[in-house]
Amino acid sequence: MAKLLYSEEEAMTPGERFTASILGDGLPDHWTVICNKMFTSNHGPTREIDFIVIGDGSIILIDEKSWRGRITGSDQIWSREDGSSHYNPLNKLDRTVRMMVGHLRDRVPHLDQIPEYIEFAIGCVLLTISAEKPRISHDIDPRLDRQVFLLKDAVTDIIALDESGWTEGVAKARTDIIDVLWQIKSRPKSPAKINEFEIIETLPSPPYPEITRYLSRHPDDSSRVLTVYELTSLSDVNRQFYLREYEALKSLGEAGLTPDVDLWFEWSDGQFLVVPNKVPEGTSYGALRSPETRADVIEELYISAAIYSALNRMHAKGIVHRALGLENIYLIETDDGYGVTFTGLWAARQRDSYTGTISHRLDEIREGAAAEDPAAAPEIYHGYEFADETSDTYAVSIMLLSRLSGVRLENLRDGTGQIIVSNSWELWRKVGADIAAKLISFFGSTLGADPAIGSENVVSGRKSAEYCELDILEIISKANALDNDDGFSSPMTSDESVEPIIPVADIDEPDDVKVIGVGPADAGAGQEVLSENDEGFRLAEEAEGEPEADPEYRLDVELESELLNEPDIEENDSSDKSPAGEVKPTPTESGNEHESSPGTKALPQEQLFLRHGSIRLQIIPEGISIGRSADNALPILDDYVSNNHAQVVLENGRCVLKDVGSRNGTYIHDERIEHAVLHPGDVIKVGRTDIFVESEFPSAIDISSWKITLLSGPQDRSEIKVSEGTTSIGRGVDNDIVLTSRSISRVHADLILDSDGFAIEDRGSTNGTFVNSSRVSFCALKDGDIIKMGDTKLRVTMVSN
């Protein structure tokens, strides 16, 4: 049993206490688990650490998440089924690990001798309730395989992680490491209630300790985000100081720019001031689908225009946000376009207040606070007092660039702070040369360094939110006009011969920069300046000869080909779908059509099941684990069965039984095996228990056995039969089912009909997909269910055969 160290068990949530017991019981006896710490770096940001595991040769930081349901998103944002969005916790952990490693190297002998490139500490997320890891492609975020655990696998995965990252310096210094980490300040106990609000969970908070945020539930069952400000002995001064934010939020809420704010109140005998906010509606900017086609890019530009427009309205009220990020801009689709609300105004400033409306400590910790915000404008690193309205437009522009280019915000700047983006054919192919040239020019006018740094009464050379919106709308208008006139209207292809409207290689005017490179005002000295107003800009290919960036932040910007040159590859532009949603037949690898006659289907494959008593489990691709431990998919209450005894897996279409090192062995028909292919009628024996292998053939699905009826919206009362396979729904004309309402995303959801049944999957829509009033990312459907997408409702009906 591992040693658990914590100062106050009550400070842990129920999920953390349960997790602590699992780790304590399962990890090796000589290991140590330190619970609930708060780490503060020299620069100020505070990090909560749920668990620090000190193994044989590695240090593992664990962030416990008691989140239910399916998780989707990207390498930057995780989106939960309830519609809430959070910065990918792995990114936060990466920064926390770097802070902690620096702290340990300064205090523990042996560790300062470990080369910088050796990873002896790693951050991991432990999902204690979710049954599956986030549904994010390995190509998008390869860290998921190694750094995200499910509770049932946590102990095994942690031990394996320690073995793979074993470092001699950690092994020698384990005792000193434990002593230093134990001295870190413990996390205070979270309240169960604040007045009538029941606390659900602690939310990510600003990078200083006097402000904490909680998700709470009111007795009327509505949710609120509570921002709790700690008051000092100067309570009257601090109260008025913090109430500036309240007044700003109230003003912006009345204008529809922030979620509504309730009346503030004091708590715990006046020690704290609490401001309740409603939970924002819609979907966060970072949780939306990344653009993949030219149509997606145009839709993305409409979104950015709406954000600039809302930002202009905020600035007109004299408020600068100063901390905009992918997680605190929320969008909802309406008939008039996109509605935008902002959250996270902890760093906001009113025009007549240059000390900040939220914290007098803001500029004291600016380096650490800005590091928390990968979209921060370069002047914020010099001091929040240098930020102006164009610091906000900079943040929106760099987020737009990140989503269009597919490069993470953290990786857009190199070690000097420069933004360097290749103008390669592959990168801009989906955009089209005409839009690419104009966007590159736009980014050049919005992502430049701010010349006001270090000067007085100097206006930023960047464009305001109003002019950013106008520029984006002009780009959209030009693109739509070209599309309608059959001009240059498609993404660049390998045989594209049409010249762009503005040839990128020929841009020489000061206002038309090529590809961007932006850093702090003092960065980029000695580099070629392409425009007086765009200091530090350079083409990717012009970066040759520059000092090599820090490998941790360096972006690979090798030029694959010029934007206007034809690439040396061929591309098949064929589509798998015919007009009107008809599916084309798919040829086999040999080029022949399927040998079955038209309209016939291949015979359904036999399915195998394991039966033990009243339990009957189908053998699925994920496999079935067998053992005495309750964590197994098929738990066996038999003292002669090992905790982890055997497993059944699918290999090359066959069901294979494997012994996993059990003490008493695994048998088929009384013959001991290490691994063997299973067949119907086999009897598996583990310990004194028999498990029977059974089979059945699934019934074929009638492809016309389901239909949906539109109950509201433009196509009211229309009935649509659902075919086998995947049926796409959205506003875009290339969907199988086209719903013309503006509240429907261009690509909104998929209906899936296969041997597993009938289901719906949200495709990263803005307004979300709901089944019987509950927001879902994936949901099995049954007869009578009501689906809601935007202002459109659909009823699911099973058609009797």
Side-chain angles (χ1 to χ4, degrees):
M1 183 175 185
K3 184 178 182 180
L4 294 177
L5 298 179
Y6 50 84
S7 57
E8 186 177 3
E9 186 175 2
E10 287 72 21
M12 292 190 281
T13 66
E16 290 169 349
R17 286 196 292 270
F18 178 69
T19 301
S21 67
I22 295 294
L23 298 179
D25 291 343
L27 294 176
D29 294 347
H30 59 283
W31 283 28
T32 299
V33 180
I34 300 175
C35 310
N36 297 103
K37 290 293 181 178
M38 292 182 65
F39 185 81
T40 303
S41 74
N42 296 331
H43 302 308
T46 299
R47 291 294 196 186
E48 293 186 1
I49 308 174
D50 294 337
F51 302 99
I52 307 173
V53 177
I54 299 94
D56 289 322
S58 302
I59 304 170
I60 302 169
L61 278 65
I62 298 178
D63 187 6
E64 185 269 338
K65 299 294 185 187
S66 300
W67 290 352
R68 297 182 182 276
R70 185 167 298 191
I71 300 170
T72 56
S74 67
D75 58 349
Q76 301 192 67
I77 296 290
W78 282 11
S79 184
R80 296 161 60 185
E81 280 195 356
D82 61 5
S84 62
S85 297
H86 308 266
Y87 257 132
N88 185 331
L90 291 175
N91 298 336
K92 168 186 168 183
L93 281 165
D94 287 346
R95 292 191 289 269
T96 305
V97 167
R98 288 197 293 268
M99 291 163 55
M100 190 195 71
V101 165
H103 183 80
L104 288 172
R105 284 183 181 274
D106 292 340
R107 293 164 175 80
V108 178
H110 302 296
L111 294 186
D112 60 344
Q113 301 173 17
I114 299 176
E116 292 288 342
Y117 62 85
I118 293 182
E119 177 187 74
F120 64 81
I122 188 170
C124 302
V125 175
L126 176 55
L127 301 173
T128 54
I129 295 179
S130 297
E132 62 178 357
K133 293 186 178 183
R135 295 173 65 89
I136 301 171
S137 167
H138 175 86
D139 294 336
I140 295 175
D141 195 345
R143 298 172 296 176
L144 292 176
D145 294 340
R146 185 174 183 229
Q147 293 176 244
V148 178
F149 306 145
L150 301 179
L151 185 60
K152 64 183 181 67
D153 305 319
V155 170
T156 303
D157 288 347
I158 291 171
I159 293 174
L161 192 61
D162 175 75
E163 293 174 350
S164 66
W166 190 92
T167 304
E168 183 178 6
V170 174
K172 290 181 177 179
R174 287 185 75 257
T175 302
D176 291 337
I177 290 171
I178 294 169
D179 290 341
V180 170
L181 294 178
W182 175 243
Q183 298 304 318
I184 296 174
K185 182 180 178 181
S186 295
R187 188 183 72 186
K189 177 182 178 181
S190 298
K193 294 189 71 175
I194 295 180
N195 285 8
E196 69 269 35
F197 293 95
E198 177 188 355
I199 302 303
I200 301 174
E201 64 177 299
T202 302
L203 297 175
S205 299
Y208 35 81
E210 63 261 33
I211 300 180
T212 309
R213 298 169 65 247
Y214 300 100
L215 179 64
S216 68
R217 182 179 292 109
H218 192 270
D220 65 6
D221 209 33
S222 62
S223 297
R224 291 290 188 277
V225 174
L226 301 183
T227 304
V228 181
Y229 304 95
E230 182 178 0
L231 304 177
T232 65
S233 57
L234 300 174
S235 57
D236 289 338
V237 176
N238 285 342
R239 183 184 295 104
Q240 296 305 315
F241 187 78
Y242 293 136
L243 284 178
R244 294 181 191 176
E245 180 194 17
Y246 171 78
E247 295 298 334
L249 287 173
K250 184 177 179 182
S251 171
L252 294 175
E254 292 170 351
L257 293 171
T258 62
D260 291 339
V261 58
D262 295 337
L263 185 65
W264 62 272
F265 60 88
E266 292 186 356
W267 173 59
S268 188
D269 297 327
Q271 296 184 63
F272 301 92
L273 184 145
V274 183
V275 176
N277 279 95
K278 290 186 177 178
V279 177
E281 296 182 357
T283 301
S284 72
Y285 188 26
L288 298 179
R289 292 175 61 250
S290 296
E292 299 174 355
T293 65
R294 180 181 172 93
D296 290 341
V297 169
I298 294 175
E299 192 76 14
E300 185 79 20
L301 295 180
Y302 276 117
I303 292 171
S304 64
I307 297 173
Y308 287 122
S309 176
L311 205 54
N312 184 44
R313 291 160 57 204
M314 175 185 287
H315 293 163
K317 289 183 172 291
I319 297 172
V320 183
H321 192 288
R322 302 200 296 185
L324 284 172
L326 288 166
E327 86 293 356
N328 55 31
I329 302 174
Y330 280 77
L331 297 115
I332 188 166
E333 291 189 64
T334 68
D335 290 338
D336 299 325
Y338 288 91
V340 180
T341 55
F342 300 101
T343 62
L345 275 80
W346 56 270
R349 187 194 74 201
Q350 291 178 318
R351 185 174 292 150
D352 58 351
S353 174
Y354 291 91
T355 59
T357 60
I358 308 305
S359 173
H360 56 284
R361 292 180 53 195
L362 188 58
D363 287 319
E364 297 175 12
I365 61 167
R366 62 178 179 270
E367 184 176 347
E372 299 294 293
D373 180 8
E379 58 269 20
I380 289 178
Y381 288 85
H382 293 262
Y384 277 85
E385 69 270 23
F386 294 115
D388 61 11
E389 284 87 350
T390 67
S391 303
D392 289 345
T393 60
Y394 179 102
V396 176
S397 294
I398 197 172
M399 286 186 274
L400 174 62
L401 175 61
S402 172
R403 288 178 55 79
L404 291 179
S405 67
V407 180
R408 286 174 53 184
L409 279 172
E410 292 89 339
N411 296 336
L412 272 174
R413 313 184 213 208
D414 65 12
T416 68
Q418 293 282 327
I419 298 175
I420 308 174
V421 177
S422 169
N423 63 351
S424 70
W425 175 86
E426 281 296 333
L427 177 61
W428 295 103
R429 173 178 173 270
K430 66 186 175 187
V431 176
D434 57 322
I435 300 181
K438 288 185 173 295
L439 281 173
I440 290 169
S441 176
F442 170 78
F443 288 132
S445 63
T446 57
L447 292 175
D450 189 344
I453 297 173
S455 304
E456 295 183 0
N457 302 319
V458 178
V459 179
S460 167
R462 306 192 198 109
K463 291 189 175 182
S464 68
E466 178 182 7
Y467 284 102
C468 287
E469 178 192 5
L470 292 174
D471 279 3
I472 292 294
L473 290 177
E474 182 182 350
I475 294 173
I476 295 171
S477 176
K478 187 67 175 179
N480 287 336
L482 287 167
D483 291 350
N484 293 334
D485 293 340
D486 292 328
F488 186 88
S489 59
S490 63
M492 291 181 290
T493 60
S494 58
D495 58 352
E496 187 62 64
S497 60
V498 181
E499 292 293 317
I501 301 305
I502 301 179
V504 176
D506 296 333
I507 296 176
D508 293 321
E509 296 298 324
D511 292 333
D512 291 323
V513 297
K514 303 176 182 178
V515 180
I516 54 177
V518 187
D522 55 353
Q527 298 170 2
E528 180 180 356
V529 178
L530 304 183
S531 166
E532 291 182 1
N533 293 332
D534 302 314
E535 181 180 348
F537 279 46
R538 67 177 186 267
L539 283 166
E541 62 269 33
E542 292 172 346
E544 294 180 5
E546 293 292 329
E548 185 173 350
D550 184 341
E552 186 172 353
Y553 298 99
R554 186 173 183 273
L555 177 63
D556 182 7
V557 295
E558 291 185 2
L559 193 62
E560 298 179 22
S561 62
E562 290 289 344
L563 179 61
L564 305 182
N565 290 345
E566 295 181 1
D568 296 325
I569 61 173
E570 296 182 0
E571 178 159 307
N572 186 353
D573 195 31
S574 62
S575 173
D576 288 336
K577 287 189 176 181
S578 302
E582 296 181 67
V583 180
K584 294 181 179 180
T586 303
T588 62
E589 293 183 2
S590 63
N592 298 324
E593 301 294 333
H594 196 284
E595 294 181 357
S596 59
S597 60
T600 64
K601 296 175 57 179
L603 291 175
Q605 292 185 343
E606 184 179 27
Q607 296 175 345
L608 295 187
F609 297 78
L610 299 183
R611 181 173 61 80
H612 165 56
S614 60
I615 300 175
R616 189 170 187 262
L617 300 176
Q618 181 182 345
I619 300 174
I620 57 177
E622 291 77 10
I624 296 177
S625 57
I626 303 171
R628 194 173 73 250
S629 170
D631 293 336
N632 289 285
L634 183 57
I636 306 293
L637 298 178
D638 182 335
D639 292 336
Y640 291 85
V641 173
S642 299
N643 282 331
N644 299 294
H645 197 106
Q647 62 178 352
V648 178
V649 298
L650 288 179
E651 292 183 353
N652 300 321
R654 302 182 301 174
C655 297
V656 178
L657 173 67
K658 296 181 178 181
D659 185 272
V660 292
S662 65
R663 182 181 297 273
N664 293 321
T666 301
Y667 297 79
I668 295 181
H669 300 302
D670 297 326
E671 180 180 347
R672 186 163 183 165
I673 59 96
E674 294 298 328
H675 64 275
V677 176
L678 291 175
H679 303 282
D682 283 347
V683 179
I684 303 169
K685 190 175 186 65
V686 291
R688 297 181 175 181
T689 301
D690 291 336
I691 303 171
F692 301 93
V693 180
E694 300 177 343
S695 69
E696 69 180 35
F697 286 88
S699 57
I701 294 178
D702 183 346
I703 62 172
S704 62
S705 59
W706 291 89
K707 70 176 182 180
I708 57 172
T709 305
L710 278 71
L711 303 180
S712 61
Q715 295 102 325
D716 191 13
R717 299 299 169 184
S718 299
E719 290 190 356
I720 303 170
K721 289 186 177 180
V722 181
S723 300
E724 184 180 18
T726 299
T727 303
S728 61
I729 305 177
R731 194 175 71 248
V733 295
D734 51 347
N735 287 284
D736 298 317
I737 299 176
V738 179
L739 302 176
T740 57
S741 170
R742 274 293 308 176
S743 63
I744 303 291
S745 293
R746 201 185 66 77
V747 179
H748 199 108
D750 285 338
L751 293 172
I752 303 169
L753 180 59
D754 55 23
S755 58
D756 292 329
F758 192 30
I760 189 167
E761 182 169 17
D762 186 86
R763 291 286 307 278
S765 65
T766 306
N767 293 341
T769 300
F770 297 79
V771 175
N772 301 329
S773 300
S774 297
R775 184 165 184 162
V776 301
S777 58
F778 181 91
C779 181
L781 297 172
K782 61 182 183 299
D783 190 31
D785 280 347
I786 301 297
I787 301 170
K788 182 176 182 294
M789 294 182 288
D791 60 2
T792 302
K793 291 184 178 179
L794 309 94
R795 182 174 58 229
V796 177
T797 305
M798 177 183 287
V799 181
S800 57
N801 296 321

